[in-house]
């Protein structure tokens, strides 16, 4: 019985549920997936070490008739031990902080400014209760269907007509808050061909759950045709 309980979490792991953020289809989402996996394994080193020590000590110091009068040595003020448990966590935090800060700053959306001149394909995204409007540089507009070319930098200009929404395509990138009265510019680097699900990731009203869209990544030539057709 006890063993059966231990197996349950592993069955969940083996069941193969699809987690979109762990199947990145753009460089942007790839960096995010790297951070998730990297911090997971770094934490697993800590969790593993703690559990091994815990189990060892449970057995080593368990109560027996022999150890009835055992009194452990007082280790107060042990400089070596104290230095170890200060320096090790600090090192771990530094190792975790370096890629986290680098990627977070690189991916942070910026406010408008001269972002129109940025190299790449620009799409003007307007969110509203409860839909997404995508306008391309040619003037082509489509609702709830984001069409972008593969292999390029996609520069999204995000704004909202009403309340705060959040742009998220788990396979490609996000989440980015979409604010009324303010344009945020977010870049998705090098998306791969395919059709992905997008959604609003910020509760924005009763129909929030229906605020979904499709993201279609197609070839550059197909995109050229798409934006110039009516
Ligand atoms: Cu919304």
């Amino acid at each position: 019985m006890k063993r059966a309980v231990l197996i349950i979490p592993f069955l969940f792991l083996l069941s193969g549920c699809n987690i979109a953020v762990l199947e990145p289809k753009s460089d942007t989402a790839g960096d995010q997936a790297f951070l998730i996996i990297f911090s997971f394994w770094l934490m697993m080193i800590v969790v593993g070490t703690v559990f091994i020590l815990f189990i060892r000590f449970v057995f080593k110091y368990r109560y027996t008739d022999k150890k009835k009068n055992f009194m452990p040595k007082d280790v107060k003020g042990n400089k070596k031990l104290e230095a170890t448990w200060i320096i090790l966590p600090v090192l771990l935090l530094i190792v975790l902080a370096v890629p986290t800060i680098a990627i977070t700053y690189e991916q942070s959306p910026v406010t408008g400014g001269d972002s129109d001149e940025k190299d790449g394909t620009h799409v003007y995204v307007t969110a509203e209760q409860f839909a997404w409007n995508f306008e391309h540089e040619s003037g082509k507009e489509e609702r709830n269907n984001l069409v972008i070319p593969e292999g390029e930098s996609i520069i999204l200009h995000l704004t909202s007509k009403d309340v705060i929404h959040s742009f998220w395509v788990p396979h490609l990138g996000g989440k980015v808050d979409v604010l009324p009265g303010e344009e945020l510019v977010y870049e998705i680097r090098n998306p791969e061909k395919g059709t992905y699900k997008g959604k609003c990731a910020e509760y924005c009203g009763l129909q929030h759950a229906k605020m979904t869209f499709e993201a279609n990544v197609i070839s550059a030539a197909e995109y050229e045709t798409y934006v110039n057709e009516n």
Side-chain angles (χ1 to χ4, degrees):
M1 182 56 210
K2 271 182 208 158
R3 266 187 210 166
V5 173
L6 283 175
I7 286 167
I8 290 169
F10 292 101
L11 285 180
F12 273 104
L13 280 177
L14 290 171
S15 66
C17 50
N18 291 317
I19 301 170
V21 287
L22 297 180
E23 289 165 7
K25 301 290 181 192
S26 77
D27 289 354
T28 306
D31 285 348
Q32 294 182 0
F34 162 76
L35 274 187
I36 294 171
I37 290 162
F38 177 72
S39 49
F40 173 80
W41 285 113
L42 199 70
M43 282 185 282
M44 284 317 282
I45 294 174
V46 178
V47 170
T49 311
V50 169
F51 267 78
I52 289 168
L53 289 175
F54 171 72
I55 291 164
R56 183 174 143 72
F57 291 156
V58 163
F59 283 99
K60 193 175 174 191
Y61 297 109
R62 73 187 185 282
Y63 183 85
T64 58
D65 276 347
K66 238 178 159 182
K67 292 183 201 155
K68 229 182 211 163
N69 301 313
F70 171 74
M71 185 58 78
K73 215 172 84 194
D74 191 355
V75 290
K76 192 179 168 220
N78 184 320
K79 287 212 174 74
K80 259 189 202 157
L81 275 177
E82 292 202 5
T84 310
W85 65 58
I86 290 169
I87 291 169
L88 271 182
V90 167
L91 281 178
L92 277 173
L93 287 180
I94 291 172
V95 170
L96 191 61
V98 170
T100 304
I101 291 171
I103 291 173
T104 306
Y105 270 84
E106 202 213 319
Q107 294 202 3
S108 287
V110 293
T111 45
D114 54 1
S115 53
D116 278 329
E117 274 102 70
K118 254 189 159 181
D119 248 7
T121 301
H122 295 256
V123 182
Y124 296 81
V125 182
T126 309
E128 64 182 278
Q129 288 168 316
F130 299 89
W132 296 90
N133 294 289
F134 301 105
E135 192 185 345
H136 299 263
E137 281 169 286
S138 67
K140 166 102 181 178
E141 257 184 89
E142 199 171 358
R143 218 168 155 81
N144 295 332
N145 185 27
L146 169 63
V147 179
I148 44 173
E150 66 172 334
E152 279 185 40
S153 268
I154 313 299
I155 322 282
L156 300 169
H157 300 255
L158 302 154
T159 187
S160 166
K161 267 188 190 166
D162 35 50
V163 299
I164 299 175
H165 301 275
S166 178
F167 176 93
W168 193 30
V169 183
H171 280 113
L172 299 180
K175 311 161 176 171
V176 187
D177 271 2
V178 182
L179 311 170
E182 172 94 70
E183 186 187 280
L184 287 184
V185 179
Y186 181 65
E187 196 173 334
I188 292 175
R189 283 175 294 111
N190 197 16
E192 274 174 43
K193 243 184 182 180
T195 301
Y196 312 106
K197 280 182 187 154
K199 60 182 92 181
C200 177
E202 174 97 48
Y203 181 71
C204 58
L206 285 179
Q207 306 288 317
H208 159 73
K210 289 185 181 158
M211 199 170 157
T212 57
F213 62 96
E214 225 172 56
N216 280 294
V217 184
I218 54 179
S219 74
E222 285 169 321
Y223 179 74
E224 207 46 50
T225 316
Y226 168 81
V227 289
N228 291 311
E229 74 194 3
N230 294 311

